Amino acid sequence: MLMEYYQEALNHAQYEIIEDDLPYYGEIPQLPGVWASGNSLEECRRNLASALDDWLLISIAKGLPIPVLSGCSLSYPERVTA
């Protein structure tokens, strides 16, 4: 389930070239805060995948909502706090 969601999220990635020291910019618009840049498109893709890893781990750890992407959802049991 996690890998399917991860791949679907990367399928939603959008890339562009910007005027910056790191000219390649990528983001997953449906996932707020998931963006990256790089010196090349491949570097940008790797950095975006890393940003997605961090975003998913933090979202799961904090019990934050994770949007459904093209019918693909990532659900997890609610955390019980004492």
Side-chain angles (χ1 to χ4, degrees):
M1 174 172 55
L2 180 60
M3 290 309 295
E4 287 103 7
Y5 188 89
Y6 182 83
Q7 188 57 53
E8 189 60 40
L10 290 176
N11 289 343
H12 283 79
Q14 297 176 358
Y15 300 95
E16 63 182 287
I17 297 175
I18 60 174
E19 290 188 32
D20 193 73
D21 290 340
L22 299 172
Y24 290 86
Y25 172 82
E27 66 179 344
I28 302 172
Q30 297 85 348
L31 306 180
V34 180
W35 65 272
S37 58
N39 283 313
S40 67
L41 181 56
E42 283 308 309
E43 180 182 30
C44 183
R45 284 182 175 153
R46 284 191 306 272
N47 292 344
L48 186 61
S50 179
L52 174 59
D53 289 343
D54 294 344
W55 188 90
L56 283 171
L57 290 172
I58 291 167
S59 295
I60 291 168
K62 292 187 172 255
L64 299 173
I66 298 174
V68 175
L69 298 174
S70 299
C72 187
S73 66
L74 185 60
S75 59
Y76 47 89
E78 288 189 32
R79 290 178 35 182
V80 176
T81 57

